Amino acid sequence: MSEQYNVQFINPILRAVLNVLSTMANVEVTPGKPYLNNNGLAVGDITGSVGIDGYAIGVISLSLSKGVVLTIVNNMLYENFTEINEEIADAVGELTNMISGQARSILSESDISFSAGTPKVIHGKGEKIDHIPSVPVLAVPFSSSHGDLVVEISLSNS
Amino acid sequence: MSEQYNVQFINPILRAVLNVLSTMANVEVTPGKPYLNNNGLAVGDITGSVGIDGYAIGVISLSLSKGVVLTIVNNMLYENFTEINEEIADAVGELTNMISGQARSILSESDISFSAGTPKVIHGKGEKIDHIPSVPVLAVPFSSSHGDLVVEISLSNS
């Protein structure tokens, strides 16, 4: 794994995901082994991404399978959606904002400060996520009984 | 009211507050008349603030009375807190992130783009909020049966 993405990025992402999902949606997920996603394509059915800047220019994305996004959003919003709709998409943008915000907050304790833009949401597995081109994308995966999700981060070398 | 703070800032703040509180906490609040808070002191018992940058350098803050913050956070986290504690403070940081994020998202539809830093939380009424010095602070107040809250924004002139 690239030296650029050391454990200092993995742990804040991990803590942010576990904390946001347990407190906001009462959903427990199990972290998997981080890997590099070199094709930059969405592994989940719906994906939120947000540009970050400061320590470096980068992108953080959150990609979720249909099963787990329905469970998370239904718990979070007291709903019973069975299909991915506009409200699910809005909530994925909000989850991306919350998870990236908490990860940034934890990183800022180590003087690694990022500001964040506004999340975008894309639909469909295999869609191109607008990660920083030509750099490895660090993927931190999670599994649950309802499906999988992954948080990815890419950072510009410059 | 300063020309700098026209209706284009009021409506996005209003929509963000109503949407976040109704969807995340099932709490309905009633907007009041926007005003300028010239002393920059917190009107609520607990206040989150976040730096923004892009269209201008600025600060967005969320200040809540004890009654309304307990109602919002207890609904949001399925808790029964009766005092402001560390979990309430963390949730105020999260609410500040969510409300400023949604307001930024709505503003970005009008090509007014901001990125945001990491929220800080301060305790106590009358504490100094780190708004941009020497500029008027636009305050958008809300009331509810559980107490009041206000979202404030200050933007640098330069």
Side-chain angles (χ1 to χ4, degrees), chain A residues 136-147:
Chain A
V137 178
L138 171 67
V140 185
F142 300 83
S143 60
S144 80
S145 53
H146 307 284

Side-chain angles (χ1 to χ4, degrees), chain B residues 96-154:
Chain B
T96 306
N97 181 38
M98 288 192 279
I99 288 171
S100 68
Q102 291 213 0
R104 289 187 297 113
S105 176
I106 296 165
L107 283 165
S108 74
E109 296 165 8
S110 308
D111 289 327
I112 298 176
S113 292
F114 288 103
S115 60
T118 298
K120 284 183 285 192
V121 176
I122 61 172
H123 294 259
K125 222 184 277 272
E127 291 294 311
K128 186 85 187 159
I129 308 176
D130 59 352
H131 275 291
I132 302 293
S134 310
V135 301
V137 178
L138 172 67
V140 185
F142 299 84
S143 59
S144 80
S145 53
H146 307 284
D148 299 339
L149 61 106
V150 60
V151 175
E152 297 182 332
I153 182 170
S154 59

Side-chain angles (χ1 to χ4, degrees), chain A residues 11-22:
Chain A
N11 283 334
I13 290 171
L14 220 147
R15 285 172 54 195
V17 169
L18 297 179
N19 186 44
V20 167
L21 296 186
S22 67

